[in-house]
Amino acid sequence: DAKTTQPPSMDCAEGRAANLPCNHSTISGNEYVYWYRQIHSQGPQYIIHGLKNNETNEMASLIITEDRKSSTLILPHATLRDTAVYYCIVRVGYSGGGADGLTFGKGTHLIIQP
Amino acid sequence: NAGVTQTPKFQVLKTGQSMTLQCAQDMNHNSMYWYRQDPGMGLRLIYYSASEGTTDKGEVPNGYNVSRLNKREFSLRLESAAPSQTSVYFCASSEDNPPYEQYFGPGTRLTVT
């Protein structure tokens, strides 16, 4: 799986949009971008994933650049409960039935300020 | 629907002792995983099981063994614990259809003295 680069930490004011960048310049054509988050030492939680189109769900939006070398996770109205470590993961999405594990980096520690 | 459960939540072992971490899921998933997380680091895959009766090594399998007892349960055994195995251990299971979302348990915090 390709490697990702994320800033180690970010701050965001409560109620504002939090934009978390991820660089994956060596991504291959069949690799998907996944985002998970980990709140205070709990188990990680899936947020969203995408291949090349922008995606939105009830938790967040994912913007992937046209060349697919970077992406941004957007939390539209951050709350204090969004304080967590956010992991950007690139994987060959559907090969092998998805049984292979995830490769986590150190992620971005997002701190929502009141 | 409890999702993924792990026991125990906390454990302290002396060097050389053995123990088994238990994991169970009630989502009827075929794939299950064991990860470890050291302080300030991301999770690293220890072992995984794509289906009942099969297991495969992940990134850091040395010092561990696993058993996929049935579709629900996947256990991790430390035969002779070492201080380097002090970590938080997470079990996960994965949906059988895209996007293969993984669901994680609450973790077991293990200290080896």
Side-chain angles (χ1 to χ4, degrees), chain A residues 32-34 36 46 48-50 91-94 97-98 102, chain B residues 94-103:
Chain A
Y32 287 69
V33 180
Y34 285 75
Y36 281 73
Y46 167 85
I48 199 167
H49 82 289
R91 71 184 292 201
V92 180
Y94 302 163
L102 298 172
Chain B
S94 171
E95 290 181 337
D96 298 324
N97 296 296
Y100 302 109
E101 177 180 345
Q102 291 195 13
Y103 297 83

Side-chain angles (χ1 to χ4, degrees), chain B residues 42-90:
Chain B
L43 283 71
R44 291 185 292 170
L45 183 66
I46 305 172
Y47 270 93
Y48 65 99
S49 170
S51 62
E52 184 179 350
T54 68
T55 61
D56 285 285
K57 294 179 180 179
E59 180 186 354
V60 289
N62 291 344
Y64 305 95
N65 287 303
V66 291
S67 295
R68 185 70 183 269
L69 305 170
N70 47 56
K71 192 170 186 178
R72 288 188 65 248
E73 298 172 291
F74 189 37
S75 62
L76 179 72
R77 182 160 178 84
L78 287 71
E79 291 291 353
S80 178
S84 60
Q85 295 178 304
T86 293
S87 191
V88 181
Y89 291 84
F90 290 100

Side-chain angles (χ1 to χ4, degrees), chain A residues 20-96:
Chain A
L20 290 88
C22 179
N23 182 288
H24 32 78
S25 58
T26 59
I27 192 169
S28 300
N30 61 347
E31 289 181 314
Y32 287 69
V33 180
Y34 285 75
W35 284 83
Y36 281 73
R37 74 179 182 183
Q38 186 175 26
I39 297 173
H40 190 52
S41 300
Q42 297 176 18
Q45 174 191 23
Y46 167 85
I47 302 172
I48 199 167
H49 82 289
L51 181 62
K52 56 184 177 180
N53 296 322
N54 298 338
E55 302 288 345
T56 296
N57 63 20
E58 65 278 5
M59 290 182 68
S61 295
L62 175 61
I63 308 297
I64 302 174
T65 59
E66 191 169 343
D67 63 7
R68 303 206 325 119
K69 293 184 176 181
S70 65
S71 60
T72 301
L73 178 75
I74 301 172
L75 308 178
H77 304 288
T79 71
L80 297 178
R81 289 177 295 179
D82 292 322
T83 291
V85 177
Y86 287 77
Y87 297 100
C88 171
I89 298 168
V90 171
R91 71 184 292 201
V92 180
Y94 302 163
S95 73

